[in-house]
Amino acid sequence: MKWSFPWWSKHKNSNPKALKKYLIVGLGNIGSEYDQTRHNIGFDALNAMAEDKALSFEEGRYGAMTKLKFKGRLLLLHKPSTYMNNSGKAVRYWANKENIPHENILIITDDLNLPFGTLRLKTKGSDGGHNGLKDIQAQLNTTQYPRLRFGIHSTDKGVNTVDFVLGKWTSDEAKALPERFIKTAEIILSFATSSLITWPGKTRSGQWATCTSAASPASCGKVRSGRASASHWAICSVAPTGDVLSNTTRFPCSKTGAIMSAAD
C-alpha cells in the first residue's frame, strides 16, 4: 500500500555536508512471525515513511538502515535486528558511530497504556515496563532520550498482555493505521526541524493551555491539550498555509505554534 504524505514529501537538500544528523529508531522484532503485530509498530511506521519517499532499507550493523534528507537535516531511519529486548545495543552503536547526541535520538515504540492511535512525544521518562526501552536506558545509561509512543491499548478486560502485544491488528485497527502513520511521520519531521517548547504547567485533559517558547517568554498561541505536563513536548511547526498542524486540526498562528503529540 502507498501512503500519501502531504506537505513534506518533495523537499530536497542540496548541501549534504551541512546536514545535522538525527537517529530515528523504530522498535520491533525481526522475522515473518512478527510482521503486522502491535509490538512492531516502530518497524511499520518507518516502513511507511520510507515507502512514501521511495527509500530502500539496507541491511547493516545491528539492523536495517535508510537515510532521509530533509530541510538541512539527515535522518537515519533504523530498524534494529537485535530483537526488542536488546534494542539498546543498536541505538548505542549508531549514536556513537554517527556522533549523534541523545537529544537527537528518537525512539518509536508501542505503548500498552495509551489508547489505540494516541501519539505521545516525550523528552525523557521511565521505560514503563517496556523491555526495548529498558535496554536502551541501560545501554545509554540515561532516561534522557526522546521517545514517540504509539498507543495500542486494548479495551478488552482480562486480555493476556504478551499475546496481545505480539498479536495481529484487528481489521478496524488496520484500517486506521495509514492515517496514524502519516501523523507519525509529521511528528518525526517536526522533531528534527522545529523549535521545541514546553508547557508552563500542568493542564487537565480537554483544557486549552497557552504554550510558551523555551527560547522566549512570549506566547506562541493556544494548543488543545489531550493530556499535557511540563515533561511533554509541543513542537513549533508552521505549515505552508501559515497554520499550525496538530494531529488532526490546524490552529492559526502568526509566526509559530505548537503541534501536540497527545491523542486527537
Side-chain angles (χ1 to χ4, degrees), residues 9-30:
S9 59
K10 296 183 179 179
H11 282 283
K12 301 287 185 179
N13 188 284
S14 59
N15 186 12
K17 293 183 179 180
L19 299 180
K20 186 175 182 178
K21 294 180 181 180
Y22 291 81
L23 178 60
I24 314 298
V25 181
L27 300 189
N29 288 307
I30 58 173

Side-chain angles (χ1 to χ4, degrees), residues 6-217:
W7 54 274
W8 52 267
S9 59
K10 296 183 179 179
H11 282 283
K12 301 287 185 179
N13 188 284
S14 59
N15 186 12
K17 293 183 179 180
L19 299 180
K20 186 175 182 178
K21 294 180 181 180
Y22 291 81
L23 178 60
I24 314 298
V25 181
L27 300 189
N29 288 307
I30 58 173
S32 58
E33 66 270 31
Y34 297 109
D35 289 347
Q36 305 303 313
T37 60
R38 296 179 180 89
H39 217 28
N40 270 33
I41 192 63
F43 279 14
D44 292 341
L46 293 191
N47 285 339
M49 192 173 184
E51 181 182 350
D52 181 76
K53 292 295 294 180
L55 300 172
S56 298
F57 282 93
E58 296 183 1
E59 291 298 327
R61 186 73 177 271
Y62 295 129
M65 177 84 75
T66 191
K67 299 178 181 180
L68 172 64
K69 297 175 184 177
F70 180 74
K71 290 188 176 182
R73 273 73 169 176
L74 178 63
L75 281 66
L76 308 180
L77 310 183
H78 183 62
K79 300 185 297 180
S81 61
T82 56
Y83 289 98
M84 184 69 75
N85 293 359
N86 294 308
S87 299
K89 183 184 296 185
V91 174
R92 184 182 66 174
Y93 173 82
W94 284 106
N96 290 342
K97 179 177 175 58
E98 298 294 335
N99 196 28
I100 297 175
H102 292 168
E103 61 267 24
N104 287 2
I105 299 172
L106 179 62
I107 308 299
I108 305 169
T109 182
D110 60 301
D111 192 317
L112 189 60
N113 296 314
L114 294 178
F116 170 77
T118 296
L119 297 168
R120 181 167 298 167
L121 179 64
K122 297 182 68 177
T123 61
K124 59 183 179 179
S126 69
D127 56 62
H130 192 287
N131 288 332
L133 296 182
K134 187 178 299 183
D135 191 61
I136 293 170
Q137 176 180 326
Q139 292 286 340
L140 298 182
N141 195 31
T142 183
T143 61
Q144 307 273 337
Y145 63 88
R147 71 286 309 272
L148 176 57
R149 297 177 181 266
F150 190 109
I152 64 168
H153 178 69
S154 172
T155 57
D156 296 336
K157 295 182 178 180
V159 64
N160 181 280
T161 300
V162 175
D163 291 343
F164 181 76
V165 299
L166 295 179
K168 305 284 185 178
W169 301 105
T170 66
S171 58
D172 287 341
E173 290 170 339
K175 290 177 183 178
L177 285 177
E179 185 272 341
R180 291 288 83 192
F181 288 151
I182 292 172
K183 301 305 176 185
T184 300
E186 289 176 354
I187 292 174
I188 290 171
L189 293 178
S190 293
F191 164 79
T193 59
S194 303
S195 300
L196 302 180
I197 57 179
T198 57
W199 296 95
K202 294 184 178 180
T203 63
R204 294 181 180 178
S205 178
Q207 286 186 337
W208 287 77
T210 301
C211 62
T212 304
S213 171
S216 168

